[in-house]
Amino acid sequence: MTDRSLADALAAADSPTQLLRANPGRHPYPVESEFTNWIEEVRSWREACSLSDLSHHQKDLYVEGPDALEVFADLGINDFGGFEPGQAKQFVACNPDGYVIGDAILFYLDDGRLKLTGTPVAPDWVEYNLETGDYDATAEADERYHDKDEPHRTFRYQLQGPDALDTMRDAVEGSLPEIPFFNFEDVTIGGVEVRALRHAMASNAGFEIWGPWAERDAVRGAILDAGESYGIRQLGEKSYKAQGQEKGWIARPLPAIFGDSMAAYREWLDADSYEATSTLGGSFDPDDVSEFYLNPIELGYERFVDFDHDFVGRDAVSEMAQVPQREKVTLVWDDDDVVELFTSLLRDGETYKYFDLPMPYWAVFHYDEVLRGDETVGVSKYFGYTYNERSVLSLALVDSEYSDPGTEVTLVWGEPGGTSPNPKVEDHVQTEITATVAPNPYVDLDE
């Protein structure tokens, strides 16, 4: 912790983008790079089942009291009607202008007790509003592992793939209850009582399992034993990061917190907070930081916006829903252009931005410019190579007239000017990648 705020850090910088581009790379991820090898691990969630350790890199915010649900309803775009203990939902919070601050998974644990889990962005915003608002509720934060000395209160594992359901049935002591989608129930694994959330990724049944930190090894061992006959693989950092392109979820938008209406919040946030220390990268380089903001309609969240309740940004989001927005798509990178990135490393002279496999990751908030001719028509966000599709894919938002599958666009690859104060970025020259628009999500296993 520091006595300086995000506002102080911004005052010492030329602009929000200058501050964020100068941050030193990514946040550490305390899981082995590979448990076996990343290609087998990537194959596992399509061919067998995979086990991911999500215990370290996300923040849990426990909110308790008579007004515990009220604060989420005041801040979230979601429909909270009928929301009950044993259920979860993707919580999305916006600023007063309707742009996304952040999202996370909200678990309704018990009457008057909820937990918000995700990157610190959404939990921080909720914690701030609890401290400064008139709510009969308290918050207790369980910070990420690198924001404190002690371990997390709970472990959290994700089981995914076509054999995940059978693995879960074999791992659970007794019978596995029928858990509806995005509901959770108590089960026993390895002699430990845990909670299991039912979800899905790329059309496969999946589960998130959490319980006491001290029992993490016993539970992990029981799941691995149960999945051995199905070919279970533990996902290392490389393979875990490569799921997003298939899943279709656009992660880590730049938090929309740098306008005048959010000044008090920037005074509250520490200068060493996630929002202040995360790196901005990519070729998209507008003059105003607000050009990086994304809205819930273009991100595909319109399906669960509830305009029948008042929430921060409601009027602005309602106006956004009435006019055409950019469309969420997948971009399939041209194979020859991808090969050229590697070829540049094998000849004399300047090289293009290095593309690590399966996913180069030098910035938390990554935005690449998407062109049609000389016109900017969108931004590309989450990107990387997927062995399952033998392609480099990225998740993008493009103007609706260029969103039809088969449309060709151009992605600008490399940092502005081919350099960056970020020490994770080598000097390079920008280049252009031809990309073809495809549906999002790209993978639909139900077809």
Side-chain angles (χ1 to χ4, degrees):
M1 299 293 287
T2 175
D3 292 334
R4 298 176 68 240
S5 68
L6 172 56
D8 294 329
L10 288 168
D14 293 337
S15 67
T17 55
Q18 187 272 336
L19 171 70
L20 296 174
R21 283 193 183 274
N23 281 330
R26 41 174 295 185
H27 299 290
Y29 190 78
V31 172
E32 292 187 39
S33 176
E34 300 167 284
F35 283 94
T36 52
N37 62 81
W38 66 263
I39 290 179
E40 287 184 353
E41 292 170 16
V42 166
R43 290 173 58 188
S44 68
W45 69 68
R46 291 280 287 276
E47 300 177 9
C49 60
S50 63
L51 183 66
S52 305
D53 187 349
L54 314 182
S55 305
H56 311 278
H57 68 288
Q58 298 184 341
K59 175 175 178 173
D60 289 334
L61 184 71
Y62 295 87
V63 179
E64 188 167 0
D67 294 340
L69 183 58
E70 183 179 342
V71 66
F72 291 105
D74 287 348
L75 301 177
I77 69 173
N78 312 74
D79 181 0
F80 291 90
F83 191 41
E84 298 177 347
Q87 297 178 338
K89 63 175 66 223
Q90 184 181 357
F91 170 81
V92 179
C94 294
N95 73 7
D97 298 318
Y99 292 100
V100 172
I101 294 174
D103 71 304
I105 303 302
L106 179 62
F107 299 88
Y108 204 150
L109 301 178
D110 299 294
D111 287 332
R113 189 165 183 266
L114 299 96
K115 179 180 76 165
L116 188 65
T117 297
T119 66
V121 178
D124 285 348
W125 175 237
V126 173
E127 193 171 6
Y128 164 76
N129 279 275
L130 278 169
E131 286 189 15
T132 59
D134 186 20
Y135 294 102
D136 187 5
T138 58
E140 183 180 357
D142 191 7
E143 303 289 350
R144 301 175 306 154
Y145 87 100
H146 35 43
D147 293 331
K148 60 180 183 178
D149 295 329
E150 67 274 9
H152 228 46
R153 178 188 300 182
T154 59
F155 68 81
R156 190 157 64 96
Y157 300 139
Q158 177 177 274
L159 188 65
Q160 193 68 58
D163 294 320
L165 184 58
D166 287 335
T167 297
M168 192 68 172
R169 285 176 177 144
D170 290 350
V172 167
E173 297 176 16
S175 60
L176 176 67
E178 291 292 331
I179 306 175
F181 177 74
F182 248 53
N183 282 240
F184 57 90
E185 290 196 23
D186 293 337
V187 296
T188 301
I189 299 176
V192 181
E193 186 174 292
V194 299
R195 281 177 160 172
L197 170 77
R198 179 71 177 267
H199 65 72
M201 188 271 282
S203 300
N204 279 322
F207 296 87
E208 286 195 6
I209 302 118
W210 74 96
W213 176 263
E215 308 296 340
R216 65 194 185 282
D217 291 339
V219 175
R220 180 175 60 243
I223 294 173
L224 291 175
D225 288 345
E228 184 175 4
S229 62
Y230 302 106
I232 194 171
R233 288 279 188 271
Q234 293 188 78
L235 299 190
E237 178 186 10
K238 283 188 172 183
S239 53
Y240 173 71
K241 297 295 186 185
Q243 295 180 86
Q245 301 88 279
E246 296 183 29
K247 190 162 43 174
W249 172 54
I250 296 182
R252 299 189 299 272
L254 182 73
I257 61 172
F258 296 100
D260 291 343
S261 65
M262 302 292 287
Y265 183 49
R266 294 194 298 275
E267 293 281 357
W268 181 87
L269 279 171
D270 290 332
D272 62 359
S273 64
Y274 181 94
E275 295 83 348
T277 61
S278 293
T279 309
L280 175 66
S283 62
F284 186 57
D285 190 31
D287 293 331
D288 195 313
V289 67
S290 65
E291 294 297 311
F292 290 98
Y293 296 169
L294 307 182
N295 72 64
I297 307 303
E298 63 186 351
L299 286 170
Y301 299 149
E302 185 176 14
R303 67 189 185 277
F304 53 69
V305 179
D306 174 28
F307 291 115
D308 291 332
H309 87 289
D310 193 21
F311 58 87
V312 175
R314 178 192 175 280
D315 291 344
V317 175
S318 179
E319 291 180 8
M320 292 169 179
Q322 306 306 313
V323 297
Q325 299 290 332
R326 293 181 296 191
E327 299 286 339
K328 186 168 67 167
V329 301
T330 302
L331 299 182
V332 183
W333 294 23
D334 180 80
D335 290 346
D336 290 338
D337 288 353
V338 172
V339 170
E340 180 64 17
L341 299 180
F342 295 97
T343 301
S344 75
L345 299 172
L346 305 175
R347 62 187 179 222
D348 292 336
E350 295 178 304
T351 59
Y352 301 130
K353 178 71 190 73
Y354 176 58
F355 194 105
D356 194 13
L357 293 176
M359 178 184 175
Y361 183 30
W362 67 91
V364 175
F365 308 128
H366 191 102
Y367 289 71
D368 283 324
E369 186 176 23
V370 177
L371 305 173
R372 175 77 172 193
D374 294 329
E375 180 186 0
T376 299
V377 298
V379 293
S380 172
K381 287 281 293 144
Y382 208 94
F383 64 95
Y385 169 77
T386 169
Y387 183 85
N388 292 326
E389 298 296 326
R390 307 297 175 92
S391 295
V392 174
L393 308 175
S394 61
L395 308 179
L397 298 167
V398 299
D399 294 343
S400 58
E401 58 263 43
Y402 305 110
S403 64
D404 290 339
T407 302
E408 277 199 356
V409 295
T410 301
L411 183 147
V412 181
W413 177 249
E415 293 289 299
T419 187
S420 171
N422 178 354
K424 299 293 185 182
V425 177
E426 78 285 3
D427 287 345
H428 58 278
V429 293
Q430 279 191 336
T431 188
E432 294 183 346
I433 305 289
T434 299
T436 303
V437 173
N440 178 304
Y442 187 70
V443 177
D444 186 352
L445 299 183
D446 291 333
E447 290 186 348

